[in-house]
Amino acid sequence: MNNLNSAVVDHAICSRRSIRAFLPDQVPSEMISEILQVASRAPSGSNTQPWKVYVVTGQTRQKIIDAVCQTQLHIQQTPDLAQHYVASFDYYPKTWFSPFIERRRENGLGLYGLLGLAKDNKAGMAAQHLRNYQLFDAPVALFFTTHQDLGVGAKMDVAMLMQNVMTAAQARGLATCPQAAWNHFHSVVLPHLGAAANEELVCAIALGYPDQSALVNEFVTPRVALHEFTVFLD
């Protein structure tokens, strides 16, 4: 194995993290196309390549942000409205259990603690949550869809494509934040994309240049030790 090549790939993977504050600098469309072309080498079951990617910038980006933020603000004011905006599939379990609930709590405490947001600061928490739907000011949104009649494997394939996108972006000095939060608003987002009626929103990625001065971008999530998730059998 070429040690230089492995070091470059390893660095792109290990230095990637979810960025939550972006600079307004535009990303060249040629670079986005290059990233997606490279990422399309992701594997898929029987090479079905069951993904579609919408690259959203400019006015369309702003229209989607405005529509979803307005909806989210209405939900904050009238929580019962949330029942009308439900993701088409469950990303999280209906009931949390150990050790995953502890990891989730650790993540929340780490992020909101860094920002000085106590749990009882409802307004601050709501404002930070709304940042998801402002794309954390990223100039590019990538929305990933698949055909709604395909199985769960198609979503696994899309996830591998997304990982390739994030790694390729990281290697080019860009930053990303994968966002399942948008899935609840698929009925708002998909019409703006011109998506077909049979398309299902799987996830979104905020893409742009990171704001290195932003406090929130100092947050780095921990990882469990190798022995906690790996079993070697001989």
Side-chain angles (χ1 to χ4, degrees), residues 3-233:
N3 289 334
L4 178 60
N5 288 344
S6 63
V8 170
V9 174
D10 290 355
H11 178 72
I13 293 172
C14 294
S15 62
R16 188 219 64 82
R17 63 183 187 274
S18 293
I19 291 299
R20 295 179 174 86
F22 290 83
L23 296 173
D25 304 32
Q26 296 301 308
V27 180
S29 58
E30 296 81 5
M31 185 181 292
I32 299 172
S33 295
E34 183 178 85
I35 289 169
L36 292 172
Q37 188 65 59
V38 169
S40 71
R41 293 304 308 174
S44 60
S46 299
N47 198 33
T48 50
Q49 304 171 69
W51 45 68
K52 192 165 185 177
V53 186
Y54 293 88
V55 181
V56 181
T57 59
Q59 293 183 359
T60 302
R61 168 192 173 278
Q62 194 58 51
K63 287 178 181 177
I64 292 175
I65 287 176
D66 291 344
V68 172
C69 283
Q70 183 179 41
T71 304
Q72 176 63 16
L73 287 171
H74 286 162
I75 291 173
Q76 289 175 5
Q77 296 164 0
T78 310
D80 287 348
L81 289 176
Q83 64 184 313
H84 300 296
Y85 299 96
V86 180
S88 59
F89 64 94
D90 290 330
Y91 185 95
Y92 293 115
K94 289 181 169 53
T95 302
W96 285 95
F97 50 94
S98 186
F100 311 107
I101 183 61
E102 289 84 5
R103 294 174 188 169
R104 178 179 170 86
R105 286 171 178 162
E106 179 185 36
N107 185 73
L109 288 171
L111 175 61
Y112 290 111
L114 177 66
L115 297 174
L117 293 173
K119 194 173 183 179
D120 59 355
N121 184 352
K122 302 297 184 182
M125 298 279 279
Q128 181 59 34
H129 185 63
L130 193 66
R131 293 283 293 149
N132 281 282
Y133 309 117
Q134 297 164 344
L135 290 167
F136 304 113
D137 298 328
V140 183
L142 304 176
F143 290 100
F144 297 78
T145 70
T146 190
H147 195 292
Q148 64 185 11
D149 294 333
L150 291 173
V152 66
K155 294 181 179 63
M156 295 170 60
D157 297 340
V158 172
M160 289 187 279
L161 174 74
M162 290 177 60
Q163 179 65 35
N164 275 3
V165 168
M166 291 186 286
T167 303
Q170 186 72 19
R172 288 164 174 78
L174 295 169
T176 55
C177 185
Q179 297 180 276
W182 289 89
N183 292 6
H184 294 278
F185 298 111
H186 58 88
S187 63
V188 180
V189 174
L190 291 176
H192 282 281
L193 301 179
N198 59 23
E199 286 184 60
E200 181 179 29
L201 181 61
V202 177
C203 203
I205 289 179
L207 173 72
Y209 295 96
D211 182 352
Q212 302 289 9
S213 67
L215 177 65
V216 69
N217 286 339
E218 295 180 11
F219 182 62
V220 180
T221 53
R223 291 294 184 269
V224 299
L226 179 68
H227 71 268
E228 294 188 46
F229 66 88
T230 307
V231 178
F232 291 95
L233 302 172

